[in-house]
Amino acid sequence: MELVIGTKRWSTWSLRPWLVLRKTGAAFTETLVNLRQGEVTQGQIAPHSPFGQVPVLKDGDLLVWDSLAICEYVAERYPDARLWPEDPAARAQARAASALMHSGFAVLRSACPMALDQAPSGIEVTEALAGDLKRLATLWDLMLDRHGGPFLAGSWSIADAFFTPVASRLRTYGLALTDFGGRPAADAYGARLLQDADFLAWEADAKAEGAGATP
Ligand SMILES: N[C@@H](CCC(=O)N[C@@H](CS)C(=O)NCC(=O)O)C(=O)O
């Protein structure tokens, strides 16, 4: 299998399926595309996908071109990795949380882009951004309460892959969910995601890019 991904310090959509693939223990190759270079970026994506975006998963002659669809495919291909919770109720909420991230939190995504090479700094919190942060605090608290942690739906699942880039944004922009109605457990959960060994491996690569290595 080959996963085509974008610049590691910025590409949240690439990080999610990359984490999920790593959890399977399966061998896969990664192909890196340089983002934010306009036509150069598009020229690098074109040989892999007709849709102009990464991530893209290639498995033989199969092409899967969306982060959530890639995660679903990997979960079905590697059932022993238990990438979704076994319990139907936990699975439903893990899927709902992933879908909410995939299609929502637009203000948080645009105001707080992932920047893994950037030192933590403050940010002006607009009313719209506060709204997304309150929604995030509500979601994390609700799921940690219901499923008992340590991850959103109990043990680590695709939902946690979806929120790992979010945790990195909170850290980069000095945002604590306790300031937006969240409980300390929500912030502790975000910090836990950033201790994940696979995330740390991705982050090390991202920092090397930022230090001038070829992204
Ligand atoms: N909904 C898509 C979004 C993918 C996406 O926005 N990818 C960005 C990079 S993170 C991209 O490929 N941009 C192409 C460009 O900047 O030219 C997914 O979940 O995979």
Side-chain angles (χ1 to χ4, degrees):
M1 273 192 298
E2 177 186 359
L3 186 66
V4 185
I5 56 176
T7 308
K8 285 189 167 179
R9 56 194 188 278
W10 301 324
S11 188
T12 61
W13 297 118
S14 300
L15 170 56
R16 295 172 171 116
W18 187 91
L19 285 173
V20 165
L21 265 171
R22 289 274 290 216
K23 299 299 177 200
T24 67
F28 67 98
T29 57
E30 23 176 301
T31 301
L32 204 52
V33 161
N34 299 305
L35 294 175
R36 302 190 187 169
Q37 292 183 18
E39 284 180 16
V40 173
T41 299
Q42 286 304 310
Q44 289 179 6
I45 296 175
H48 304 290
S49 168
F51 302 118
Q53 288 189 325
V54 288
V56 172
L57 181 74
K58 296 195 230 173
D59 190 9
D61 66 355
L62 174 71
L63 188 70
V64 188
W65 53 81
D66 174 88
S67 60
L68 187 51
I70 294 170
C71 293
E72 290 282 8
Y73 176 73
V74 172
E76 287 184 11
R77 200 177 188 289
Y78 297 97
D80 292 346
R82 299 184 192 285
L83 294 166
W84 289 119
E86 264 189 282
D87 171 60
R91 191 162 64 244
Q93 288 202 333
R95 281 204 160 104
S98 305
L100 194 61
M101 181 63 238
H102 192 247
S103 63
F105 294 106
V107 180
L108 176 62
R109 276 161 42 195
S110 67
C112 305
M114 186 167 83
L116 288 174
D117 57 331
Q118 198 172 294
S121 64
I123 188 173
E124 189 204 337
V125 179
T126 62
E127 208 175 307
L129 178 56
D132 264 1
L133 292 166
K134 283 180 197 159
R135 222 176 335 274
L136 182 66
T138 301
L139 175 72
W140 284 8
D141 276 342
L142 181 155
M143 292 196 64
L144 292 167
D145 274 359
R146 168 144 185 161
H147 304 291
F151 294 102
L152 275 190
S155 51
W156 194 94
S157 76
I158 288 170
D160 302 296
F162 266 74
F163 285 96
T164 298
V166 175
S168 91
R169 291 164 144 135
L170 296 180
R171 180 181 62 184
T172 297
Y173 299 99
L175 299 164
L177 292 184
T178 44
D179 292 335
F180 300 92
R183 288 199 281 275
D187 287 317
Y189 163 69
R192 191 170 303 125
L193 292 180
L194 301 181
Q195 292 307 313
D196 176 83
D198 293 313
F199 171 72
L200 292 173
W202 172 283
E203 184 183 40
D205 290 348
K207 285 187 170 157
E209 286 174 351
T214 308

